[in-house]
Amino acid sequence: MTSADHVPDRALLDEIERYYDAVPRSAACAEDFGPLTLFVREGAGWPYYARPKLGHDGPPATAEDVRRVLDRQRALGAPEAFEWVAERNPELRAAVEAAGLTVHAHPLLVLGPLDGPVPTPDLPERVAVRVLAADAPELAAAVAVPHLAFADPGTAVGPAGAVELAAAVAELAAEGAVARIAQRITDGTTVLAAALDGGEALCAGQHNPVGPVTEVVGVGTLPSARRRGLGLAVTSALVAQARAGGVRTVFLSAADEDVARIYRRAGFRPFATALIAEPAPSA
């Protein structure tokens, strides 16, 4: 059964919608385009996206509204990207496709306050899963691991290992990505957990709490270390930390149904569909 088979409750959709509007505001300014909001990053960091305007109760966005945002994104040199929840704004897909973008669907899954903890798989004794402080010596590697994971998508074991990780650490440290995550950890806007074998990071992920809601994001395993339960172990640690901090609702988006099945076995429930729109790949 997929997320599309479920009719999510309105209160949960509204809660997630408020979260999606709030998260970018810690590092971006919001520009108003009628039924749409464009988040523009301030300084270096993650380039944000456009999405439906929170609380908009007028006519839905048209292809022309989407094109106005695209013109602004191009002028800024920002990615031409839109993100939204299909069940909350179903009419937006036609508008963004008419403006020339390609839409990708991803299952959204949730753990509510009455759901049990995420089970922790058995790991070798030498592997420890920890929430990292901003000054942890393993932080740079933990920031780099998901970049290698997402460059080689899927769940199959891949070739990237320690050599590639060292190169990614050097690159991300040089461009300031590690320092930015360290600052977000200090500020309390990001929590990062990693599976560590000695000083080597094998898997890492984050959650970004806003009040009683958080999203688990960027969980990625070093391709050479896949199929050991590390992603689930990191997710379990993130959920436990979030709940200990008073978070009521934990959610995530899965890359595809294969990944969603892993999270469903861990107790997450499908409730909606995340849509991401971007330009079609060039020929």
Side-chain angles (χ1 to χ4, degrees):
M1 186 175 289
T2 69
S3 57
D5 298 316
H6 294 252
V7 179
D9 70 67
R10 186 72 181 192
L12 178 58
L13 277 179
D14 288 346
E15 186 175 54
I16 300 303
E17 194 71 8
R18 289 190 295 270
Y19 176 90
Y20 274 139
D21 181 79
V23 164
R25 295 177 185 269
S26 66
C29 61
E31 296 187 2
D32 184 13
F33 287 82
L36 301 170
T37 297
L38 172 61
F39 293 102
V40 179
R41 68 181 178 187
E42 297 176 317
W46 180 258
Y48 287 101
Y49 41 78
R51 66 179 332 278
K53 182 179 179 180
L54 184 67
H56 177 72
D57 59 1
T62 64
E64 184 55 37
D65 293 320
V66 174
R67 292 188 188 100
R68 289 174 55 222
V69 175
L70 290 172
D71 287 343
R72 176 62 173 153
Q73 288 173 321
R74 291 168 190 145
L76 292 166
E80 298 169 30
F82 287 73
E83 297 187 13
W84 72 102
V85 178
E87 291 78 0
R88 187 64 174 76
N89 295 95
E91 73 290 334
L92 185 54
R93 180 167 191 157
V96 300
E97 289 179 335
L101 299 179
T102 297
V103 177
H104 307 278
H106 303 276
L108 277 175
L109 301 99
V110 67
L111 274 178
L114 300 181
D115 294 314
V118 175
T120 301
D122 293 330
L123 300 176
E125 287 187 9
R126 67 179 185 276
V127 177
V129 179
R130 298 205 324 263
V131 173
L132 299 185
D135 59 354
E138 304 91 352
L139 182 65
V143 171
V145 160
H147 287 262
L148 293 176
F150 298 135
D152 182 8
T155 59
V157 176
V163 173
E164 291 79 7
L165 181 58
V169 166
E171 180 180 350
L172 292 170
E175 68 181 37
V178 177
R180 288 193 294 273
I181 293 297
Q183 186 60 56
R184 289 184 62 84
I185 292 172
T186 299
D187 295 341
T189 54
T190 288
V191 175
L192 186 148
L196 306 168
D197 184 350
E200 182 182 8
L202 300 180
C203 179
Q206 304 172 25
H207 80 83
N208 302 306
V210 177
V213 182
T214 196
E215 181 181 17
V216 173
V217 298
V219 177
T221 301
L222 193 67
S224 62
R226 285 173 175 158
R227 298 196 171 180
R228 303 183 194 176
L230 299 174
L232 186 56
V234 166
T235 301
S236 177
L238 291 169
V239 170
Q241 195 281 341
R243 285 181 161 170
V247 167
R248 183 179 68 244
T249 301
V250 182
F251 76 102
L252 56 83
S253 64
D256 53 36
E257 282 299 326
D258 288 339
V259 177
R261 278 193 289 272
I262 296 171
Y263 287 114
R264 288 203 299 273
R265 289 198 296 268
F268 281 84
R269 297 177 285 108
F271 80 98
T273 307
L275 296 181
I276 298 176
E278 59 188 6
S282 57

